[in-house]
Structures are given as C-alpha cells and as structure tokens.
Amino acid sequence: MELPHLIAFNIALLASMASPGPALLLAIRNTLRDGRAAGIATGLGLGIVASLWTLSALLGLNAIFALFPWAYTAVKTAGALYLLYIAWTTWKGASAPLAEAGNVGRRAFFSGLAVNILNPKSVLFAAAVLVVIFPPDLTLGEKLFITANHLAVEVTVYALLSTALSQASVREGYLRAKPVIDRITAVILGGLGARLLAER
C-alpha cells in the first residue's frame, strides 16, 4: 500500500460522507436538536461502525453476504424499519418544543451506532471502493491502518460539522424553522427507508 492509495480512499470516503444519506441527516438533526456534544457523539457512533464495515470488507464479509443473501436482506430490512421509525418520531415531534433530556450524548452515540449497523450497503460500498483503490495483497497491519484512518476521517468530519452547526445563529435559525426542517428530514429519512425496503 502506498500513500496515493490512502489519499484516493480518503477522497472517496469524503465524497460518500457528503452525500445526503441517513448518517449525514442524523448527525445534522442531532446537532441542531441537542447541540455540539450530541453531534460529536453521533459522529463517533457512525464512525466506529462505518470503519468496522470497512474492516469487514477488507476481511471478506462482502463474500459472506454474497454467499448468504438472506443475511444481507435481514440486516437491510431491519435498517429500513429503523429509518422509518426515526422518520415517524421526527415527524411526530416536529411541532413540539425541544425538551431538556438526560443522557443526550449517550442517546446520540447509540443512534449513530444503530443507523450504520443496520446499513449493510456500507460494507458493499466499502468492498467496491477497496477493490478499486488498494492492491489485493494487503497485510493485516495495513488493513488495520486503513480502518483506523477511516475512523479518524469520520470523527474529524463530524466534529467539524457539529462545531459549525452548533453556532448560536445556526441553532436559533433551526429553532425558528424546526417544524418545517423536522418534517423535511422525516420525509427524506422515510423515503430512504422505503427505498431500502423496496430494493431487491
């Protein structure tokens, strides 16, 4: 493995993170609702699982999904139902004022874990990108380094995003437009969940 391989992987990873999927929407929503610490905790949960999916792809989990399609379908269905649940609770609470709740960071962290654990498409994406970018004869040390690099990129990006979104002016704007923003978020998350269910 050479430095250009790692740079290419990080560029692909950043492009993937920037696309408006469930992970990004969840990080934005949790930051706007509960503040910077919640956004960082969400990003940590998302990053841990995403990097583990990358490690799994490096170790051949994608081959297991290919061999046992029912396992992929089961995880994908659970993920779709979880997204629909988040969409429903977001829509239902759109008009409600923000409530002070305990363990916000812990709840945000576990929501990040759950969204990416229940997203088996992550391992298929990782497998496709890894095959194109990296040579096939990676050592275990190199695979662990790629995984640690992935985690570092995810945590850094979500920390920067949470810091930017937690500025007072941004949060005040969110609070003013909360019903509309939450309902748009709910529709997008619900659409993503429904699409996952419909996919074969």
Side-chain angles (χ1 to χ4, degrees):
M1 179 181 71
E2 299 176 0
L3 183 59
H5 295 139
L6 198 61
I7 292 172
F9 174 72
N10 285 344
I11 290 170
L13 177 57
L14 290 170
S16 168
M17 290 179 70
S19 64
L24 181 62
L25 289 174
L26 183 72
I28 291 171
R29 172 183 172 267
N30 285 354
T31 300
L32 291 174
R33 280 182 52 86
D34 300 315
R36 180 173 176 268
I40 292 172
T42 304
L44 182 59
L46 291 166
I48 286 172
V49 177
S51 60
L52 289 176
W53 278 128
T54 290
L55 180 61
S56 298
L58 286 166
L59 297 176
L61 180 62
N62 54 311
I64 294 175
F65 277 151
L67 195 58
F68 301 104
W70 60 266
Y72 175 82
T73 301
V75 176
K76 184 185 76 165
T77 302
L81 294 174
Y82 184 65
L83 287 179
L84 291 171
Y85 168 75
I86 294 175
W88 168 247
T89 56
T90 301
W91 180 278
K92 194 169 70 168
S95 298
L98 291 181
E100 293 298 324
N103 297 323
V104 166
R106 181 183 299 174
R107 189 177 68 234
F109 174 74
F110 283 110
S111 69
L113 284 179
V115 160
N116 269 355
I117 284 174
L118 298 173
N119 184 13
K121 296 182 81 172
S122 295
V123 75
L124 301 180
F125 168 81
V129 169
L130 294 166
V131 165
V132 171
I133 293 175
F134 292 106
D137 56 345
L138 292 171
T139 66
L140 178 59
E142 288 173 327
K143 291 175 181 179
L144 293 174
F145 182 80
I146 292 166
T147 303
N149 166 81
H150 185 154
L151 177 60
V153 170
E154 292 248 356
V155 170
T156 301
V157 167
Y158 285 121
L160 292 172
L161 177 68
S162 298
T163 300
L165 291 177
S166 63
Q167 301 301 314
S169 58
V170 175
R171 187 165 168 77
E172 287 166 10
Y174 165 72
L175 290 174
R176 285 194 298 272
K178 179 181 178 295
V180 174
I181 292 172
D182 280 7
R183 287 194 172 112
I184 290 171
T185 301
V187 168
I188 294 171
L189 288 173
L192 290 169
R195 190 176 74 181
L196 263 181
L197 278 179
E199 283 179 355
R200 295 190 178 276

